[in-house]
């Protein structure tokens, strides 16, 4: 009679997480609940998938024959032993198959987990299985990364595992070379830096630390090259990162919507995802937060190490976001980000539209940062609810010159690729030539006025003279707002307070979200109560956030009269 100790442990883990016996975040619970629900759905003859315990058990048994390759466990010549969370995260996707063909249901596995939770070792085990034990003739397995060092973090332990197992080499006729492994049927396992060759046909792509990839070029090339494979597998295993405009964060957003049952059917049924992090209302300073975010707590991660990192984050503000990202798996964008990204995301309401505010006054924040780069017009509305001001940002507009979007300048490569993504999403307007024509922005504002009541137009002084005159001629109250501590501190802090209190609402525009995530707070010497926005590096634009702050600043005053611009400006301006 067949036994399934590993599969049973995986299923028990799912039940223990859902019941609360094992401490886990909401996203991990949703991943476990999805599996348990699917086991029930599989009883329906019309549902196309079933769980094959034999296939899941086979993968888990093979993987746990792999030896450790570093540290104390390697010195003691121990083999890998998957923890229950690892048996679930990998065994489950290898066990689900299509009823009609018996081929794997899942073609993609996304695992997001903090550092030092054993990612590289389990990824190496997956690679070896797909290389020689999955039954794929002429298998091609690639460890894809942006640098050679990163690519070898997975391939090196996989190679060392094979070198330590002569019986495995004989059984599968494996030849371990210096930079790849091969088999007589043409199978190959190798690291890849950048894109694989045009002639390659990956059966398995392992993308480690996807958050470090500036674009989705490698992921796209790998997955589109799998078309000839019957049951390919892409394994993405990563920690959180800082760049929410990255392809990793976009993939994460897709996985979250799958776990929340927002996305169902189609390609979503072929993606398995699990995310280990903290919930938004968790207190990360508590010891139990370490256990919740780190499933390998007490195994590969020692309590003392994690607690020391936590105490460092508490005592040293400059280290806080870095530690939250790497050891609590929280996406916090800029390393010293001012705004709580999770609260910003929670404030999104994609049902909001301009027609909801035809009877409200609109405060139009206009940031004309540069004719050569991003320009923003941000509509802000304010409503009083139960004596409290609620702010709404709906349908922001962004422009950038077409020459910048499609620039071939190596220095602008990452910025150009990001802008191309926004253009493809329909949220960024590319204008002809090398400069933004401010007349286009003016025409957009006039068209906007036909639908909402524009009370005032706070505008950045840089390059604003010509458009200010045009706005004034139309009676649109242009108000010059210098980007200094005096003018920016109150609205910047009010947005923070409104987000915390649930008084801020926006429509989820991805460029505005990116700008907000890039905001870093600068304080004058000796004061923590006064702040103005700055950014880290030229790639991290904040123009939309600055426009929002100007709009909120005017909405706070609820007074069209200009007196802010008469105050003494700081010498150190934000936008140059």
């Amino acid at each position: 009679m067949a036994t399934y100790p590993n599969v049973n442990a995986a299923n028990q883990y799912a039940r223990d997480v859902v019941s609360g016996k094992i401490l886990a975040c909401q996203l991990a619970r949703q991943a476990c609940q999805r599996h348990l629900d699917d086991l029930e759905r599989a009883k329906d003859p019309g549902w196309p998938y079933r769980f094959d315990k034999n296939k899941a058990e086979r993968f888990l048994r093979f993987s746990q024959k792999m030896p450790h390759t570093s540290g104390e466990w390697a010195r003691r010549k121990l083999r890998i032993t998957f923890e229950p969370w690892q048996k679930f995260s990998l065994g489950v996707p290898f066990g689900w198959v299509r009823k009609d063909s018996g081929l794997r249901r899942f073609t993609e596995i996304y695992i997001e987990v903090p550092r030092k939770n054993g990612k590289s070792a389990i990824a190496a085990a997956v690679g070896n299985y797909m290389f020689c034990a999955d039954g794929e003739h002429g298998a091609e397995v690639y460890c894809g990364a942006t640098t050679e060092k990163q690519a070898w973090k997975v391939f090196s332990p996989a190679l060392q595992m094979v070198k330590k197992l002569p019986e495995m080499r004989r059984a599968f006729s494996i030849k371990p070379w210096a930079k790849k492994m091969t088999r007589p049927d043409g199978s190959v396992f190798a690291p890849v830096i950048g894109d694989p060759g045009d002639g390659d046909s990956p059966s398995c792509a392992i993308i480690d630390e996807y958050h470090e990839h500036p674009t989705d070029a490698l992921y796209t090339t790998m997955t589109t090259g799998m078309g000839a494979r019957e049951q390919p597998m892409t394994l993405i295993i990563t920690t959180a990162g800082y760049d929410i405009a990255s392809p990793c964060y976009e993939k994460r957003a897709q996985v979250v919507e799958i776990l929340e049952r927002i996305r169902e059917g189609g390609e979503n049924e072929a993606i398995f995802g699990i995310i280990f992090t903290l919930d938004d209302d968790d207190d990360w300073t508590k010891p139990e937060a370490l256990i919740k975010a780190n499933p390998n707590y007490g195994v590969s991660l020692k309590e003392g190490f994690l607690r020391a990192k936590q105490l460092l984050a508490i005592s040293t503000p400059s280290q806080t976001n870095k530690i939250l990202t790497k050891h609590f798996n929280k996406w916090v964008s800029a390393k010293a980000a001012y705004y709580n990204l999770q609260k910003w995301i929670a404030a999104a309401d994609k049902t909001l539209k301009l027609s909801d505010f035809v009877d409200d006054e609109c405060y139009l924040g206009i940031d004309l940062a540069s004719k050569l780069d991003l320009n923003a017009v941000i509509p802000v509305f304010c409503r009083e609810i139960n004596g409290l001001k609620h702010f709404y940002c709906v349908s922001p507009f962004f422009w950038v010159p077409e020459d910048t979007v499609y620039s071939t300048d190596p220095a602008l490569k990452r910025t150009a690729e990001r802008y191309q993504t926004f253009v493809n999403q329909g949220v960024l307007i590319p204008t002809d030539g090398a400069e933004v024509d401010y007349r286009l922005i003016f025409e957009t504002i006039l068209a906007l006025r036909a639908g909402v009541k524009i009370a005032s137009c706070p505008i950045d002084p840089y390059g604003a003279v010509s458009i200010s005159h045009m706005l004034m001629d139309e009676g649109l109250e242009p108000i010059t707002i210098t980007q200094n501590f005096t003018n920016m501190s109150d609205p910047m802090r009010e947005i923070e307070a409104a987000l915390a209190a649930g008084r801020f609402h926006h429509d989820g525009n991805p460029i505005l979200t990116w700008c907000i995530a890039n905001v870093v707070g600068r304080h004058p010497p000796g004061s923590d109560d006064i702040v103005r926005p700055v950014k880290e590096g030229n790639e991290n634009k904040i123009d939309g956030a600055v426009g929002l702050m100007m709009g909120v600043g005017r909405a706070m005053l609820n007074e069209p009269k200009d007196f802010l611009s008469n105050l003494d400006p700081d010498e150190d301006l934000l936008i140059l």
Side-chain angles (χ1 to χ4, degrees):
M1 182 177 177
T3 58
Y4 309 99
N6 292 296
V7 173
N8 292 340
N11 287 337
Q12 187 60 49
Y13 173 82
R15 290 190 290 269
D16 287 345
V17 167
V18 170
S19 70
K21 184 175 180 180
I22 292 177
L23 187 62
C25 69
Q26 178 67 16
L27 292 171
R29 287 197 299 273
Q30 288 170 333
C32 292
Q33 188 66 63
R34 181 192 187 197
H35 171 61
L36 296 177
D37 289 347
D38 285 354
L39 289 176
E40 290 300 313
R41 295 173 77 185
K43 297 175 183 178
D44 179 356
W47 201 59
Y49 311 108
R50 66 180 178 85
F51 188 66
D52 188 327
K53 286 188 174 184
N54 288 314
K55 292 192 174 182
E57 189 71 27
R58 182 175 186 270
F59 165 77
L60 290 170
R61 284 180 175 171
F62 176 93
S63 299
Q64 291 177 98
K65 292 182 183 294
M66 299 295 105
H68 284 281
T69 60
S70 63
E72 177 187 352
W73 293 330
R75 180 179 57 79
R76 293 165 57 190
K77 299 182 178 180
L78 297 178
R79 305 216 176 190
I80 290 175
T81 300
F82 281 177
E83 294 301 307
W85 75 271
Q86 294 165 326
K87 292 178 179 179
F88 174 81
S89 300
L90 292 174
V92 164
F94 271 91
W96 278 102
V97 299
R98 297 189 62 89
K99 289 177 180 176
D100 57 358
S101 64
L103 298 176
R104 270 193 300 272
R105 164 192 178 181
F106 292 111
T107 60
E108 191 165 300
I109 303 172
Y110 180 91
I111 302 174
E112 190 178 292
V113 66
R115 289 187 65 190
K116 303 296 183 182
N117 278 274
K119 297 192 305 298
S120 297
I122 62 175
V126 170
N128 279 336
Y129 180 84
M130 294 295 294
F131 169 54
C132 61
D134 193 46
E136 183 75 25
H137 184 81
E140 295 180 38
V141 180
Y142 300 112
C143 303
T146 56
T147 65
E148 184 172 5
K149 180 180 178 181
Q150 190 62 52
W152 274 81
K153 282 188 177 181
V154 171
F155 181 71
S156 180
L159 179 63
Q160 294 305 314
M161 288 171 181
V162 170
K163 287 183 174 180
K164 286 173 176 255
L165 295 172
E167 66 276 15
M168 179 180 170
R169 295 200 303 274
R170 286 192 297 268
F172 296 102
S173 302
I174 300 172
K175 291 288 187 182
W177 307 93
K179 293 188 176 181
K180 65 180 179 180
M181 292 189 282
T182 61
R183 296 178 60 215
D185 68 350
S187 295
V188 62
F189 186 2
V192 171
I193 298 91
D195 296 344
D198 290 338
D200 293 327
S201 176
S203 55
C204 177
I206 300 171
I207 304 177
D208 189 29
E209 300 297 13
Y210 193 31
H211 74 275
E212 294 182 357
H213 291 230
T215 74
D216 65 355
L218 187 144
Y219 168 86
T220 300
T221 305
M222 289 278 198
T223 53
T224 54
M226 292 176 168
R229 300 292 183 173
E230 283 190 322
Q231 49 177 7
M233 177 64 75
T234 300
L235 172 64
I236 299 172
I237 189 160
T238 186
T239 59
Y242 301 112
D243 185 0
I244 65 164
S246 67
C248 183
Y249 193 82
E250 185 177 354
K251 173 59 65 177
R252 182 191 198 270
Q254 180 186 12
V255 169
V256 169
E257 291 188 352
I258 290 171
L259 296 178
E260 293 179 341
R261 311 298 175 93
I262 297 171
R263 296 194 190 206
E264 293 187 298
E267 67 170 5
N268 303 299
E269 296 294 340
I271 297 174
F272 175 91
I274 187 166
I275 297 171
F276 296 94
T277 182
L278 297 179
D279 294 314
D280 292 344
D281 56 354
D282 286 335
D283 184 350
W284 64 267
T285 66
K286 301 295 184 183
E288 55 267 26
L290 297 169
I291 302 172
K292 188 173 188 178
N294 292 275
N296 244 33
Y297 182 89
V299 183
S300 63
L301 277 160
K302 304 304 181 186
E303 178 183 355
F305 169 82
L306 280 177
R307 183 60 177 160
K309 290 290 185 182
Q310 187 180 48
L311 292 173
L312 177 62
I314 294 170
S315 63
T316 310
S318 63
Q319 295 293 313
T320 301
N321 280 353
K322 179 180 178 181
I323 292 170
L324 284 175
T325 299
K326 297 305 177 186
H327 296 291
F328 294 91
N329 216 36
K330 299 285 285 184
W331 286 79
V332 294
S333 191
K335 295 179 183 179
Y338 183 80
Y339 290 112
N340 184 316
L341 180 60
Q342 303 305 317
K343 290 188 182 300
W344 174 268
I345 292 171
D349 180 354
K350 295 183 179 181
T351 67
L352 291 174
K353 52 190 181 298
L354 283 173
S355 58
D356 297 332
F357 297 92
V358 292
D359 295 323
D360 298 89
E361 290 191 327
C362 175
Y363 304 89
L364 207 60
I366 305 172
D367 188 10
L368 308 180
S370 167
K371 284 191 174 185
L372 302 179
D373 211 334
L374 193 65
N375 286 260
V377 169
I378 313 296
V380 175
F381 303 90
C382 181
R383 290 174 175 173
E384 189 168 302
I385 302 175
N386 296 326
L388 298 174
K389 284 190 174 183
H390 284 243
F391 299 95
Y392 301 82
C393 178
V394 187
S395 296
F397 298 90
F398 295 92
W399 295 263
V400 74
E402 197 170 57
D403 286 8
T404 302
V405 176
Y406 300 105
S407 173
T408 57
D409 184 345
L412 296 176
K413 182 176 185 293
R414 181 165 177 168
T415 299
E417 289 172 339
R418 178 176 284 124
Y419 285 165
Q420 289 166 27
T421 298
F422 289 141
V423 169
N424 292 337
Q425 290 175 323
V427 294
L428 179 61
I429 303 168
T431 65
D432 292 339
E435 294 185 350
V436 171
D437 187 343
Y438 287 166
R439 289 175 297 181
L440 294 176
I441 297 176
F442 176 67
E443 290 169 4
T444 299
I445 294 172
L446 291 185
L448 181 65
R449 183 175 64 172
V452 297
K453 302 174 182 177
I454 299 178
S456 64
C457 298
I459 188 168
D460 170 65
Y462 182 88
V465 175
S466 61
I467 197 170
S468 292
H469 285 309
M470 290 189 288
L471 292 171
M472 192 175 298
D473 289 343
E474 292 290 333
L476 285 173
E477 297 283 350
I479 300 168
T480 300
I481 304 292
T482 304
Q483 312 302 319
N484 55 28
F485 288 112
T486 303
N487 293 339
M488 303 304 287
S489 184
D490 283 349
M492 187 171 173
R493 292 172 62 209
E494 176 65 10
I495 294 170
E496 180 186 27
L499 284 169
R503 295 187 291 108
F504 193 92
H505 317 273
H506 62 91
D507 64 1
N509 181 280
I511 304 182
L512 184 59
T513 296
W514 174 54
C515 290
I516 283 288
N518 291 332
V519 171
V520 175
R522 175 174 292 176
H523 301 270
S527 176
D528 291 332
D529 296 328
I530 301 173
V531 65
R532 69 177 178 87
V534 295
K535 61 187 179 183
E536 288 185 339
N538 290 328
E539 290 183 353
N540 297 324
K541 309 302 180 185
I542 62 172
D543 309 272
V546 170
L548 174 64
M549 291 172 199
M550 290 192 292
V552 167
R554 300 310 299 178
M556 289 171 66
L557 294 171
N558 199 23
E559 176 73 52
K561 181 180 177 182
D562 178 15
F563 65 87
L564 283 180
S565 58
N566 294 327
L567 298 173
D568 292 334
D570 294 0
E571 292 182 1
D572 182 18
L573 299 183
L574 172 62
I575 306 298
L576 298 176

